[in-house]
Amino acid sequence: MADHLVSFDTAPEPVRVPTGTLLSEAAKLAGVEITQPCGGQGRCGRCAVQIVSGTVRRRSTLRLSQGDVEAGFALACQTVVEGDVQVLVPPQEKIERRLTTDRTAGEVSVPLGYDYRHDQTIRRTWLTLKPPTLDDQTDDWSRLVTALRQKAHVKNLSITLEQLQMIGDILRADDWRVTAIYETEPGNDPTAPARLIELLPGHIDHDTPFMGLAIDIGTTTVTVWLVDLISGEVKAQLAEYNGQISRGEDVISRIIYASKNGGMDEMRVLIVETINRLIDTACRRAQVEKTSIIKVTIAGNSTMMHLLLGIPAMNIRLSPFVTTVNTLPNIPARELVLDVHPEATVDCLPGVASYVGADITSGVYSSGMNATDKLTLFLDIGTNGEIVLGSRDWLVSVACSAGPAFEGAGVIYGMRATVGAIEELWINDITYEPTYRVIGGVRPRGICGSGLISLLAEMFMTGVLDKGGHLNTSLGNPRIREGEHGMEYVIAWADQSYHGRDISITHVDIDNLLRAKAAIYAGFTVMADRVGVPLEAVEQVLIGGSFGKYINVEKAVQIGLLPDMEWERFQFLGNTAIRGAYHALLDREARERIHDIARRMTYIELSADNTFYEAFTSALFLPHTDMHRFPSVQADFEGRAALKVED
Amino acid sequence: MADHLVSFDTAPEPVRVPTGTLLSEAAKLAGVEITQPCGGQGRCGRCAVQIVSGTVRRRSTLRLSQGDVEAGFALACQTVVEGDVQVLVPPQEKIERRLTTDRTAGEVSVPLGYDYRHDQTIRRTWLTLKPPTLDDQTDDWSRLVTALRQKAHVKNLSITLEQLQMIGDILRADDWRVTAIYETEPGNDPTAPARLIELLPGHIDHDTPFMGLAIDIGTTTVTVWLVDLISGEVKAQLAEYNGQISRGEDVISRIIYASKNGGMDEMRVLIVETINRLIDTACRRAQVEKTSIIKVTIAGNSTMMHLLLGIPAMNIRLSPFVTTVNTLPNIPARELVLDVHPEATVDCLPGVASYVGADITSGVYSSGMNATDKLTLFLDIGTNGEIVLGSRDWLVSVACSAGPAFEGAGVIYGMRATVGAIEELWINDITYEPTYRVIGGVRPRGICGSGLISLLAEMFMTGVLDKGGHLNTSLGNPRIREGEHGMEYVIAWADQSYHGRDISITHVDIDNLLRAKAAIYAGFTVMADRVGVPLEAVEQVLIGGSFGKYINVEKAVQIGLLPDMEWERFQFLGNTAIRGAYHALLDREARERIHDIARRMTYIELSADNTFYEAFTSALFLPHTDMHRFPSVQADFEGRAALKVED
């Protein structure tokens, strides 16, 4: 194998490496630091470098746009040397900026609905203690307790042994002036215990960062918000794939994996690593120390919560489907090995049942449905579909295993809503030619959730698909063909795609999508039926979940995912779980309400009888076996058919 | 099986029962109430009845003496009918009285004052949970909490993450039958939190050991009592030198050692090792597992407590002499690395000041002075001398650095009160020849605290020592000689000693003893003066501490260690600290009273002005510069002198 010279602009000398060496390896030899938060898997895009001259081979260009590649960018961890190469290492911030400039850029701020005057559980206060004398030999700890009671009316303060070992020195380090960080217990009892988190010598500057972290652990995506506890401002918002995804795409496969020997530890490490990577990035972006994070609130489904805490989850999967715990005690961050202040409180929000977790209780809170008089249907469509019906007076919930199809999994060209994803699509009634809109305006790489709904709706409305979800081969259109994986419809030909391959949707993909939408539709119809409320009585439909913000209602109704009602009744809320966690982080009252929601929400187990299965089977059609449930779709469909006939 | 007639004196009619029926069962049939506080386990002895005639078989006679059995006594719960039987049911009070008479000389028994009905914080209870179904999907933890609330009215149960990780499996291991071990918080609040210590699968046998440990950490000696939490019985009593002793004999030298680099860790390890050795021996002796110890209470002076917990103690030594903490939170045993159940609660009892620690508060409690109307002087003479004056209404305390002379340290042939120690000694007025009593009746190896007091008193009363503590060389007696360490008095010649060396007391030893006794005498006189109470008003003098049980009052008065008053006012209580810890272990109310003592006891700092120093200097004489304070000693001394002159 021939040797090649690789020179980096940030290294004094080139290094000599054989053909096939990774650029990241060459960089290491040259003493050049290249960040690889994803561990060199080509996932995060943070190791992007620019090839000035020379020959390389890119194994993967995930996270790079076509323009990037044309400009010479390459992922150091995915690119091998095939000749002498000159490499430019761009400053890290530049990469960060490029990666995070997505459509949610505007959200880094104090979110809507935040009230500065809210009562937080975490406090930071200056204290000046009276020094001891021979006439006042009060012990250090009592002296501190008294000072905190006088200054801030704190009662029943508790302290760890480790802190007790230090307070003597800390109190004396700046002549009995200290800054106390403590947490008062949630709830309204003024005598409730408070817990000392940290005692610092001196009166620290008011500007010293004082942060909290809200986390939503989704089965597919983990989202964090880094929050200034004083202003309520969100200093960084980040999301990343859940590191467990490589061990199974849905909760069931994760539970199975975790119940194998060593699987639980592995799952726990994977999610903790994901969260710690997000913390690292968020803190670098906000330029704060990780130990400035004093409180963490976590929303997530019950399985994710169990796996994070190392609590066996197999009974979630086995009938009668019970969790080990729905309402968790507060846990110090050190016990979870989270990269924040070791004494930070980790507040895992409460769930209701095995398949209605803290993501739903906090989602319901942030949606406001628990406080409204309007009869509300709340849908959280993620990897699982959870549905809540009710209002201020009552709340019932169901869960249906929708599968991750709308998150892009189980669909060959499915992907998340990032650059290169087809997010909206139209099919010509006559030619069956599609037109589409791609995120980032680049060539398409795949199709995301909203795109899949558009696609399914357009295929059905134009007759590419029949009511049963079968591709209409009789149309004689070249886009409907027998492909590698059976019958398929080609959305983009190879020469129009980013990767030079045809982008298509197969009959298996379509089946997966139909099952997902049928599960959700069956879920809320069976639920409404059980409660004895007609679906038409629903005054508003609030939709949360990772793709909820972007889908087209008309098309979601056309495929029978959403009920057929006036569009004004629908409202898309995006990630409601992280918003709930954010409010619980900052507001004692919000947290209490989320607990109240968890306490009073009734869970209906759909597997308990077979009405759900019947409803599911009926909903496997487009939009449904019973077309009368979708009058607007029927009218539209018949109108189009009439037009075609006229043609 | 044959039937037999059983008649009870307190029942109108006999009952007919088959062979093998328990007397307790027969009593129930006959409508006779027999108390069985231990649940019929043959432990408490309270169901004792007297067999007047007939044949019975005693399965167990625990709690009955040989005499009891000969008198026909039998435990109703452990005795079966084997013929027609006539039974006498004694009044309950009679049994109570018999049980509390401390019949076992070795002290391994239920100590005097123990009340079986006391409310413990630690509980062990069987639970049978309703298994989950599709109609009742309550999570495991809530199911457990509910069961414990229904069975035992436990509210606000808390659990560690580690336990949460296991309860799912434990609950299912024996079909939802479990045994819960938990601790309710001290205090009287019924809604106070409880803490789960362990959950065991199945309903474990009632005989499974369920133990507690009371510890007194003295500067010189560490004492442990291994206690059966159900019967209150002390299963093993052990004491050992504090392992820290090699790093300094008094608290001051320990503090100095601990403040050196690495010294704190070393001190902590040494005391933990000492305790763990004692636990190991105690458990082997009682034949129980170490993990059966579920609760630990610790008494000890403030320095010992700080060093055990790794809390820097240097401010105890430096003016204004403050501790870091007097009232400690409960700590799980795993944090202290004690060899007991890792989740066992370690309850460090509260102290008052740097030199009045938990050994004194628990000592005062077990002495009963906090509950009496009599004006009481409480002395704890260990390595330090702590003195409390007061009664039910008020309590003041002082500490004086007596030094460990009376514990055998700082005296060349000083030793603890074990085999080979001279414990009592007389000197002939004419020949100055000593006679002595040795513990174990062997040849002497050294001299213990009570022996030293005797020695000093006899030397003074016979004129071997003068008022100033100087050896009288003019006597021309060969026992008074210039030795290796200066002037000395030979107590035992080499050929009479255990080790073949002369046993003597040197002038340095005498100085140390005088300083120790002077510190104590000055302590209580200054204290009485400050409070404005004449010493004569003291109605009882209660003496605790490691040697307190064995000293001779007359001789202690002769050297001016104790005030000159009627001997009936003195009472020796032995180790009061360990008794207090024992009661706190078993009785929520006792613990609360110890905390109450700590809260209301006033501490007077003797170093704050110089009256103490003056009193100390005056007390350095035998018995005192002011002989009028010791009229009985003066009379005796003058009487002896007159006799001598007559000779």
Side-chain angles (χ1 to χ4, degrees), chain A residues 16-34:
Chain A
R16 185 168 291 278
V17 297
T19 305
T21 303
L22 280 172
L23 277 180
S24 53
E25 293 296 325
K28 206 184 286 172
L29 282 176
V32 171
E33 174 112 357
I34 292 185

Side-chain angles (χ1 to χ4, degrees), chain B residues 265-282:
Chain B
D265 278 348
E266 201 178 332
M267 285 304 209
R268 188 169 169 169
V269 167
L270 285 168
I271 182 59
V272 168
E273 282 176 354
T274 300
I275 295 173
N276 284 345
R277 264 196 310 276
L278 286 164
I279 292 171
D280 188 60
T281 313

Side-chain angles (χ1 to χ4, degrees), chain B residues 234-488:
Chain B
V234 179
K235 292 292 192 183
Q237 275 182 327
L238 290 161
E240 195 179 285
Y241 275 118
N242 185 329
Q244 296 171 340
I245 218 164
S246 54
R247 308 294 187 278
E249 287 186 337
D250 53 26
V251 295
I252 300 302
S253 49
R254 304 267 176 96
I255 292 170
I256 292 170
Y257 191 92
S259 65
K260 284 184 227 156
N261 202 6
M264 173 58 88
D265 278 348
E266 201 178 332
M267 285 304 209
R268 188 169 169 169
V269 167
L270 285 168
I271 182 59
V272 168
E273 282 176 354
T274 300
I275 295 173
N276 284 345
R277 264 196 310 276
L278 286 164
I279 292 171
D280 188 60
T281 313
C283 286
R284 277 192 288 115
R285 199 168 292 177
Q287 294 182 299
V288 298
E289 297 289 322
K290 295 177 197 173
T291 50
S292 72
I293 301 174
I294 303 297
K295 176 147 189 187
V296 180
T297 48
I298 304 186
N301 66 56
S302 302
T303 301
M304 290 305 107
M305 215 66 111
H306 278 59
L307 296 183
L308 171 70
L309 302 175
I311 301 172
M314 63 272 204
N315 293 308
I316 288 179
R317 190 185 136 235
L318 304 171
S319 178
F321 316 112
V322 299
T323 61
T324 288
V325 58
N326 288 335
T327 302
L328 280 147
N330 281 353
I331 298 164
R334 63 180 143 71
E335 284 191 34
L336 294 184
V337 210
L338 293 188
D339 262 353
V340 296
H341 192 293
E343 289 303 320
T345 296
V346 179
D347 184 1
C348 295
L349 295 170
V352 173
S354 279
Y355 297 103
V356 174
D359 49 347
I360 302 307
T361 55
S362 52
V364 163
Y365 171 76
S366 73
S367 80
M369 85 174 279
N370 63 310
T372 179
D373 288 326
K374 290 187 187 169
L375 180 62
T376 304
L377 184 68
F378 173 88
L379 305 177
D380 187 304
I381 307 171
T383 313
N384 248 28
E386 292 100 348
I387 308 165
V388 185
L389 183 63
S391 66
R392 179 203 302 275
D393 301 320
W394 54 271
L395 295 165
V396 296
S397 58
V398 297
C400 37
S401 160
F406 287 120
E407 294 198 307
V411 173
I412 291 175
Y413 281 98
M415 65 180 285
R416 280 179 70 216
T418 52
V419 173
I422 295 172
E423 57 170 347
E424 181 82 83
L425 181 145
W426 303 265
I427 295 177
N428 184 293
D429 275 53
I430 313 297
T431 62
Y432 307 109
E433 284 296 299
T435 51
Y436 42 75
R437 195 173 66 228
V438 179
I439 298 177
V442 298
R443 288 179 171 222
R445 291 198 295 152
I447 184 160
C448 68
S450 60
L452 288 167
I453 290 169
S454 273
L455 174 62
L456 221 55
E458 287 290 301
M459 288 166 84
F460 170 58
M461 297 304 281
T462 56
V464 172
L465 278 185
D466 69 13
K467 209 169 140 54
H470 308 109
L471 284 161
N472 187 347
T473 49
S474 68
L475 291 177
N477 191 289
R479 288 187 181 263
I480 302 167
R481 70 176 188 194
E482 181 76 28
E484 198 184 331
H485 305 282
M487 287 307 294
E488 63 184 17

